[in-house]
Amino acid sequence: MLTIKDREFVKFITKTKVQAQVKILAEQINADYQLKSPVFLPILNGSFMFAADLMKHIDVPNKISFVKVSSYSGAASTGQLKTLIGLEVSLFNEDVIIVEDIVDTGLTLQKIVNELKELGTRSVEVISLLRKQPAREKSIEVKYVGFEIENDFVLGYGLDYDGHGRNLTDIYRMKDANSEKADL
Ligand code: IMP
């Protein structure tokens, strides 16, 4: 059991399982991209640990560029729009792989994918260590998924609870949590 701030967390996915699954995902990418040279775009902050471990097993030629998603108030009354920042490489005609820690509603991801397609990319695929139920229900396309989980709030291995816990090597689940994200 782990207490972070006001909440209790229980171990959910051990580091051994995480590492084994990361290797399997990397092998799938190696097979699928044999004749290609993909550009990996890990989305900070959450995917820093996953991306670092994943890349250790990637053996096709590749580039990697960490990016962030920023929020800004759009001119339209629809409110917050998200956009990709920090892109340092040209993606024209490139096979892009977005690296995510977790896909929940998938709304952010959908916007990013559309933005990348407009840059003239050859292909855009997504790898996410975790995928929550809402994303499955909405058929958000994630080609490589490490673990399918329910609506629990999770932390560790890059994922945070109010900024805490990103360095943990196991993944924890908020105790008695069900869609606790709204509580943050
Ligand atoms: P989405 O746009 O709803 O798919 O939000 C995805 C982002 O929300 C992820 O990249 C995480 O940063 C954050 N997130 C969603 N669920 C969790 C969770 O259970 N723990 C920590 N962060 C989460």
Side-chain angles (χ1 to χ4, degrees):
M1 186 102 75
L2 185 74
T3 303
I4 295 202
K5 298 190 85 182
D6 51 341
R7 293 291 191 154
E8 288 185 333
F9 291 85
V10 288
K11 207 176 268 189
F12 181 40
I13 310 173
T14 63
K15 58 181 157 227
T16 312
K17 279 195 182 152
V18 170
Q19 292 302 328
Q21 196 59 26
V22 168
K23 192 158 182 275
I24 288 169
L25 293 174
E27 281 161 3
Q28 286 170 7
I29 290 178
N30 287 335
D32 292 352
Y33 287 80
Q34 260 179 56
L35 303 173
K36 295 175 181 162
S37 176
V39 179
F40 289 85
L41 294 187
I43 314 289
L44 290 171
N45 294 322
S47 71
F48 81 99
M49 209 179 268
F50 174 43
D53 286 341
L54 180 78
M55 297 314 292
K56 291 173 197 162
H57 302 291
I58 295 293
D59 57 22
V60 295
N62 66 83
K63 285 183 186 169
I64 178 162
S65 177
F66 283 84
V67 291
K68 253 191 155 166
V69 174
S70 94
S71 309
Y72 62 91
S73 297
S77 57
T78 46
Q80 296 271 296
L81 296 174
K82 302 238 174 130
T83 188
L84 215 51
I85 55 170
L87 202 53
E88 288 167 349
V89 291
S90 164
L91 297 182
F92 182 74
N93 229 4
E94 297 286 358
D95 294 303
V96 174
I97 303 177
I98 300 169
V99 184
E100 267 284 24
D101 50 354
I102 188 165
V103 183
D104 183 1
T105 64
L107 288 177
T108 312
L109 191 58
Q110 258 181 344
K111 285 202 184 110
I112 296 171
V113 169
N114 290 339
E115 207 176 317
L116 292 175
K117 283 183 177 163
E118 280 168 17
L119 294 177
T121 46
R122 184 158 46 206
S123 66
V124 180
E125 296 293 355
V126 181
I127 177 169
S128 184
L129 182 67
L130 302 160
R131 179 163 63 170
K132 281 193 188 180
Q133 201 174 359
R136 284 199 295 285
E137 284 165 359
K138 279 200 281 156
S139 311
I140 302 289
E141 203 160 326
V142 182
K143 187 161 186 185
Y144 308 95
V145 179
F147 301 93
E148 301 280 6
I149 65 170
E150 296 310 311
N151 235 344
D152 299 311
F153 187 86
V154 289
L155 122 155
Y157 200 68
L159 293 147
D160 72 307
Y161 170 52
D162 205 13
H164 293 260
R166 290 194 196 275
N167 62 313
L168 299 165
T169 47
D170 298 293
I171 296 175
Y172 291 77
R173 180 173 59 79
M174 194 181 273
K175 208 177 162 197
D176 300 320
N178 203 5
S179 219
E180 292 279 0
K181 203 181 165 196
D183 286 358
L184 290 182

